[in-house]
Amino acid sequence: MLLRRFLTHFRAQDWIAICLDFVIVVVGIFVGLQVDSWNQDRKERIRERVSLEQLYSDFSLAQEQAQEMAEFHAGKDEDLGFAIDTMLSETLAPDDRRRMIMSLLSMAQLPPLGVSLGTYDSMIASGDIALIQDAELKSMLVRLEASLESENNLLGYFRLMNQSEQGFSQRHFRLVPNSDSSDVTFDFDFDRLLRDPEAFSVIASQQRNHRVFHGFRQDIADSLEAARTHIGDLIGTQKTATE
């Protein structure tokens, strides 16, 4: 219909009408493109919000896991500090014997962080990370990813170092049956431990390891909490850290 009207105006050489028809066509195309763009943008903002809500949920769990691991290493640091003080005093009270044994037997434990950022990894793989408009959040996510990668590399390095100290436990701890013969337990010779020239360096090395991982994993837990709080602000949630 518009083409027929344009031809009619052209035959009549009605240039004003032709210009008006042209303007109508251009405006119509422009409006159509703008509507398509608006619809596409609206869909992307919906997808962005869904992704942010999923990230918020992921980071809540990940922060709890990282915080638990940080506290685990803080506890190991404290236990090994107790073991070193006990050795320096050269006196082991009977009530402290079990704590001493458990502190030294578990001192080489370096469990994985266990933090999984499934939604973030999925967004990276699919390209949906481009949906996130907030530049600060993008920067936080990049730094967090780098920290997790560094932590994983550090974990592999320290575990490799621990392999050289496996003989320590074998030298000093042995399985013995309980007094009622119901089970077995670990025991050790405290005086022999004091005479071991490598004992202090091995224990102090493990204490240092746990201090390193406590600091590293606490930083990750804090970064996750900061990212979670920022995401919460973006999506307008009023959830508290305890929810």
Side-chain angles (χ1 to χ4, degrees), residues 90-110:
E90 299 185 354
T91 302
L92 177 60
D95 291 343
D96 291 333
R97 191 172 184 84
R98 177 172 175 77
R99 182 182 180 186
M100 185 74 172
I101 291 174
M102 298 308 298
S103 297
L104 298 182
L105 277 176
S106 63
M107 66 181 179
Q109 290 182 356
L110 291 175

PDB file of all heavy atoms in Angstrom, residues 90-110:
ATOM      1  N   GLU A  90      59.925 -29.503  77.321  1.00  0.00           N
ATOM      2  CA  GLU A  90      60.413 -30.878  77.558  1.00  0.00           C
ATOM      3  C   GLU A  90      59.562 -31.617  78.580  1.00  0.00           C
ATOM      4  O   GLU A  90      60.030 -32.540  79.261  1.00  0.00           O
ATOM      5  CB  GLU A  90      61.884 -30.865  78.005  1.00  0.00           C
ATOM      6  CG  GLU A  90      62.821 -30.264  76.964  1.00  0.00           C
ATOM      7  CD  GLU A  90      64.281 -30.367  77.361  1.00  0.00           C
ATOM      8  OE1 GLU A  90      64.565 -30.811  78.513  1.00  0.00           O
ATOM      9  OE2 GLU A  90      65.147 -30.002  76.546  1.00  0.00           O
ATOM     10  N   THR A  91      58.296 -31.215  78.668  1.00  0.00           N
ATOM     11  CA  THR A  91      57.377 -31.863  79.604  1.00  0.00           C
ATOM     12  C   THR A  91      56.029 -32.057  78.917  1.00  0.00           C
ATOM     13  O   THR A  91      55.450 -31.103  78.382  1.00  0.00           O
ATOM     14  CB  THR A  91      57.180 -31.012  80.876  1.00  0.00           C
ATOM     15  OG1 THR A  91      58.439 -30.788  81.494  1.00  0.00           O
ATOM     16  CG2 THR A  91      56.251 -31.739  81.861  1.00  0.00           C
ATOM     17  N   LEU A  92      55.536 -33.280  78.949  1.00  0.00           N
ATOM     18  CA  LEU A  92      54.237 -33.587  78.355  1.00  0.00           C
ATOM     19  C   LEU A  92      53.312 -34.126  79.439  1.00  0.00           C
ATOM     20  O   LEU A  92      53.508 -35.230  79.960  1.00  0.00           O
ATOM     21  CB  LEU A  92      54.390 -34.629  77.238  1.00  0.00           C
ATOM     22  CG  LEU A  92      53.091 -35.089  76.572  1.00  0.00           C
ATOM     23  CD1 LEU A  92      52.366 -33.909  75.925  1.00  0.00           C
ATOM     24  CD2 LEU A  92      53.365 -36.177  75.542  1.00  0.00           C
ATOM     25  N   ALA A  93      52.293 -33.324  79.790  1.00  0.00           N
ATOM     26  CA  ALA A  93      51.332 -33.750  80.799  1.00  0.00           C
ATOM     27  C   ALA A  93      50.491 -34.891  80.257  1.00  0.00           C
ATOM     28  O   ALA A  93      50.178 -34.918  79.057  1.00  0.00           O
ATOM     29  CB  ALA A  93      50.445 -32.583  81.207  1.00  0.00           C
ATOM     30  N   PRO A  94      50.102 -35.845  81.098  1.00  0.00           N
ATOM     31  CA  PRO A  94      49.277 -36.965  80.633  1.00  0.00           C
ATOM     32  C   PRO A  94      47.997 -36.523  79.925  1.00  0.00           C
ATOM     33  O   PRO A  94      47.589 -37.138  78.938  1.00  0.00           O
ATOM     34  CB  PRO A  94      48.967 -37.728  81.928  1.00  0.00           C
ATOM     35  CG  PRO A  94      50.118 -37.395  82.843  1.00  0.00           C
ATOM     36  CD  PRO A  94      50.471 -35.975  82.516  1.00  0.00           C
ATOM     37  N   ASP A  95      47.373 -35.449  80.431  1.00  0.00           N
ATOM     38  CA  ASP A  95      46.127 -34.975  79.815  1.00  0.00           C
ATOM     39  C   ASP A  95      46.355 -34.379  78.422  1.00  0.00           C
ATOM     40  O   ASP A  95      45.410 -34.249  77.637  1.00  0.00           O
ATOM     41  CB  ASP A  95      45.472 -33.926  80.710  1.00  0.00           C
ATOM     42  CG  ASP A  95      44.937 -34.529  82.009  1.00  0.00           C
ATOM     43  OD1 ASP A  95      44.792 -35.771  82.060  1.00  0.00           O
ATOM     44  OD2 ASP A  95      44.693 -33.760  82.955  1.00  0.00           O
ATOM     45  N   ASP A  96      47.601 -33.994  78.132  1.00  0.00           N
ATOM     46  CA  ASP A  96      47.910 -33.387  76.844  1.00  0.00           C
ATOM     47  C   ASP A  96      48.450 -34.388  75.827  1.00  0.00           C
ATOM     48  O   ASP A  96      48.713 -34.032  74.678  1.00  0.00           O
ATOM     49  CB  ASP A  96      48.951 -32.269  77.015  1.00  0.00           C
ATOM     50  CG  ASP A  96      48.384 -31.068  77.767  1.00  0.00           C
ATOM     51  OD1 ASP A  96      47.158 -30.864  77.690  1.00  0.00           O
ATOM     52  OD2 ASP A  96      49.170 -30.341  78.399  1.00  0.00           O
ATOM     53  N   ARG A  97      48.590 -35.620  76.252  1.00  0.00           N
ATOM     54  CA  ARG A  97      49.229 -36.617  75.381  1.00  0.00           C
ATOM     55  C   ARG A  97      48.422 -36.850  74.096  1.00  0.00           C
ATOM     56  O   ARG A  97      48.985 -36.896  73.002  1.00  0.00           O
ATOM     57  CB  ARG A  97      49.415 -37.937  76.142  1.00  0.00           C
ATOM     58  CG  ARG A  97      50.294 -38.931  75.411  1.00  0.00           C
ATOM     59  CD  ARG A  97      50.606 -40.145  76.281  1.00  0.00           C
ATOM     60  NE  ARG A  97      51.534 -41.019  75.582  1.00  0.00           N
ATOM     61  CZ  ARG A  97      52.847 -40.874  75.564  1.00  0.00           C
ATOM     62  NH1 ARG A  97      53.404 -39.843  76.212  1.00  0.00           N
ATOM     63  NH2 ARG A  97      53.624 -41.704  74.898  1.00  0.00           N
ATOM     64  N   ARG A  98      47.127 -36.992  74.240  1.00  0.00           N
ATOM     65  CA  ARG A  98      46.303 -37.257  73.057  1.00  0.00           C
ATOM     66  C   ARG A  98      46.340 -36.079  72.089  1.00  0.00           C
ATOM     67  O   ARG A  98      46.439 -36.277  70.872  1.00  0.00           O
ATOM     68  CB  ARG A  98      44.853 -37.555  73.475  1.00  0.00           C
ATOM     69  CG  ARG A  98      43.927 -37.758  72.271  1.00  0.00           C
ATOM     70  CD  ARG A  98      42.548 -38.229  72.681  1.00  0.00           C
ATOM     71  NE  ARG A  98      41.655 -38.290  71.539  1.00  0.00           N
ATOM     72  CZ  ARG A  98      41.651 -39.247  70.629  1.00  0.00           C
ATOM     73  NH1 ARG A  98      42.508 -40.254  70.740  1.00  0.00           N
ATOM     74  NH2 ARG A  98      40.812 -39.230  69.615  1.00  0.00           N
ATOM     75  N   ARG A  99      46.269 -34.864  72.629  1.00  0.00           N
ATOM     76  CA  ARG A  99      46.314 -33.694  71.750  1.00  0.00           C
ATOM     77  C   ARG A  99      47.654 -33.639  71.012  1.00  0.00           C
ATOM     78  O   ARG A  99      47.707 -33.297  69.828  1.00  0.00           O
ATOM     79  CB  ARG A  99      46.116 -32.410  72.549  1.00  0.00           C
ATOM     80  CG  ARG A  99      46.098 -31.170  71.657  1.00  0.00           C
ATOM     81  CD  ARG A  99      45.956 -29.882  72.432  1.00  0.00           C
ATOM     82  NE  ARG A  99      45.952 -28.733  71.521  1.00  0.00           N
ATOM     83  CZ  ARG A  99      45.958 -27.454  71.910  1.00  0.00           C
ATOM     84  NH1 ARG A  99      45.957 -27.168  73.214  1.00  0.00           N
ATOM     85  NH2 ARG A  99      45.973 -26.483  71.012  1.00  0.00           N
ATOM     86  N   MET A 100      48.721 -33.971  71.709  1.00  0.00           N
ATOM     87  CA  MET A 100      50.043 -33.961  71.084  1.00  0.00           C
ATOM     88  C   MET A 100      50.095 -34.963  69.934  1.00  0.00           C
ATOM     89  O   MET A 100      50.583 -34.656  68.838  1.00  0.00           O
ATOM     90  CB  MET A 100      51.103 -34.309  72.141  1.00  0.00           C
ATOM     91  CG  MET A 100      52.527 -34.206  71.655  1.00  0.00           C
ATOM     92  SD  MET A 100      53.037 -32.484  71.494  1.00  0.00           S
ATOM     93  CE  MET A 100      54.789 -32.698  71.152  1.00  0.00           C
ATOM     94  N   ILE A 101      49.572 -36.158  70.184  1.00  0.00           N
ATOM     95  CA  ILE A 101      49.589 -37.203  69.150  1.00  0.00           C
ATOM     96  C   ILE A 101      48.778 -36.769  67.938  1.00  0.00           C
ATOM     97  O   ILE A 101      49.242 -36.853  66.793  1.00  0.00           O
ATOM     98  CB  ILE A 101      49.041 -38.529  69.723  1.00  0.00           C
ATOM     99  CG1 ILE A 101      50.030 -39.108  70.747  1.00  0.00           C
ATOM    100  CG2 ILE A 101      48.809 -39.549  68.602  1.00  0.00           C
ATOM    101  CD1 ILE A 101      49.501 -40.335  71.472  1.00  0.00           C
ATOM    102  N   MET A 102      47.563 -36.297  68.162  1.00  0.00           N
ATOM    103  CA  MET A 102      46.696 -35.922  67.052  1.00  0.00           C
ATOM    104  C   MET A 102      47.247 -34.709  66.294  1.00  0.00           C
ATOM    105  O   MET A 102      47.130 -34.625  65.069  1.00  0.00           O
ATOM    106  CB  MET A 102      45.284 -35.618  67.553  1.00  0.00           C
ATOM    107  CG  MET A 102      44.593 -36.823  68.207  1.00  0.00           C
ATOM    108  SD  MET A 102      44.638 -38.304  67.151  1.00  0.00           S
ATOM    109  CE  MET A 102      43.723 -37.748  65.718  1.00  0.00           C
ATOM    110  N   SER A 103      47.869 -33.789  67.019  1.00  0.00           N
ATOM    111  CA  SER A 103      48.442 -32.616  66.362  1.00  0.00           C
ATOM    112  C   SER A 103      49.539 -33.012  65.395  1.00  0.00           C
ATOM    113  O   SER A 103      49.613 -32.494  64.264  1.00  0.00           O
ATOM    114  CB  SER A 103      49.000 -31.645  67.404  1.00  0.00           C
ATOM    115  OG  SER A 103      47.983 -31.159  68.250  1.00  0.00           O
ATOM    116  N   LEU A 104      50.400 -33.926  65.805  1.00  0.00           N
ATOM    117  CA  LEU A 104      51.535 -34.312  64.967  1.00  0.00           C
ATOM    118  C   LEU A 104      51.118 -35.275  63.860  1.00  0.00           C
ATOM    119  O   LEU A 104      51.650 -35.212  62.746  1.00  0.00           O
ATOM    120  CB  LEU A 104      52.634 -34.933  65.828  1.00  0.00           C
ATOM    121  CG  LEU A 104      53.237 -33.997  66.880  1.00  0.00           C
ATOM    122  CD1 LEU A 104      54.357 -34.700  67.641  1.00  0.00           C
ATOM    123  CD2 LEU A 104      53.751 -32.714  66.241  1.00  0.00           C
ATOM    124  N   LEU A 105      50.174 -36.162  64.150  1.00  0.00           N
ATOM    125  CA  LEU A 105      49.736 -37.109  63.121  1.00  0.00           C
ATOM    126  C   LEU A 105      49.009 -36.407  61.971  1.00  0.00           C
ATOM    127  O   LEU A 105      49.098 -36.839  60.818  1.00  0.00           O
ATOM    128  CB  LEU A 105      48.810 -38.164  63.738  1.00  0.00           C
ATOM    129  CG  LEU A 105      49.487 -39.351  64.437  1.00  0.00           C
ATOM    130  CD1 LEU A 105      48.439 -40.247  65.075  1.00  0.00           C
ATOM    131  CD2 LEU A 105      50.340 -40.148  63.461  1.00  0.00           C
ATOM    132  N   SER A 106      48.308 -35.341  62.275  1.00  0.00           N
ATOM    133  CA  SER A 106      47.501 -34.662  61.252  1.00  0.00           C
ATOM    134  C   SER A 106      48.154 -33.397  60.712  1.00  0.00           C
ATOM    135  O   SER A 106      47.541 -32.668  59.929  1.00  0.00           O
ATOM    136  CB  SER A 106      46.129 -34.303  61.837  1.00  0.00           C
ATOM    137  OG  SER A 106      46.261 -33.387  62.908  1.00  0.00           O
ATOM    138  N   MET A 107      49.400 -33.152  61.084  1.00  0.00           N
ATOM    139  CA  MET A 107      50.008 -31.868  60.734  1.00  0.00           C
ATOM    140  C   MET A 107      50.242 -31.709  59.236  1.00  0.00           C
ATOM    141  O   MET A 107      50.337 -30.584  58.730  1.00  0.00           O
ATOM    142  CB  MET A 107      51.331 -31.679  61.488  1.00  0.00           C
ATOM    143  CG  MET A 107      52.429 -32.633  61.111  1.00  0.00           C
ATOM    144  SD  MET A 107      53.909 -32.302  62.099  1.00  0.00           S
ATOM    145  CE  MET A 107      55.013 -33.578  61.470  1.00  0.00           C
ATOM    146  N   ALA A 108      50.334 -32.802  58.488  1.00  0.00           N
ATOM    147  CA  ALA A 108      50.597 -32.714  57.045  1.00  0.00           C
ATOM    148  C   ALA A 108      49.323 -32.663  56.215  1.00  0.00           C
ATOM    149  O   ALA A 108      49.385 -32.667  54.982  1.00  0.00           O
ATOM    150  CB  ALA A 108      51.465 -33.880  56.597  1.00  0.00           C
ATOM    151  N   GLN A 109      48.177 -32.594  56.868  1.00  0.00           N
ATOM    152  CA  GLN A 109      46.910 -32.578  56.135  1.00  0.00           C
ATOM    153  C   GLN A 109      46.731 -31.242  55.403  1.00  0.00           C
ATOM    154  O   GLN A 109      46.717 -30.188  56.025  1.00  0.00           O
ATOM    155  CB  GLN A 109      45.731 -32.797  57.087  1.00  0.00           C
ATOM    156  CG  GLN A 109      45.638 -34.192  57.651  1.00  0.00           C
ATOM    157  CD  GLN A 109      44.429 -34.369  58.552  1.00  0.00           C
ATOM    158  OE1 GLN A 109      43.691 -33.417  58.807  1.00  0.00           O
ATOM    159  NE2 GLN A 109      44.207 -35.567  59.039  1.00  0.00           N
ATOM    160  N   LEU A 110      46.595 -31.325  54.096  1.00  0.00           N
ATOM    161  CA  LEU A 110      46.321 -30.154  53.269  1.00  0.00           C
ATOM    162  C   LEU A 110      45.171 -30.498  52.326  1.00  0.00           C
ATOM    163  O   LEU A 110      45.372 -30.775  51.144  1.00  0.00           O
ATOM    164  CB  LEU A 110      47.563 -29.744  52.474  1.00  0.00           C
ATOM    165  CG  LEU A 110      48.736 -29.176  53.272  1.00  0.00           C
ATOM    166  CD1 LEU A 110      49.929 -28.930  52.362  1.00  0.00           C
ATOM    167  CD2 LEU A 110      48.335 -27.873  53.975  1.00  0.00           C
TER     168      LEU A 110
END
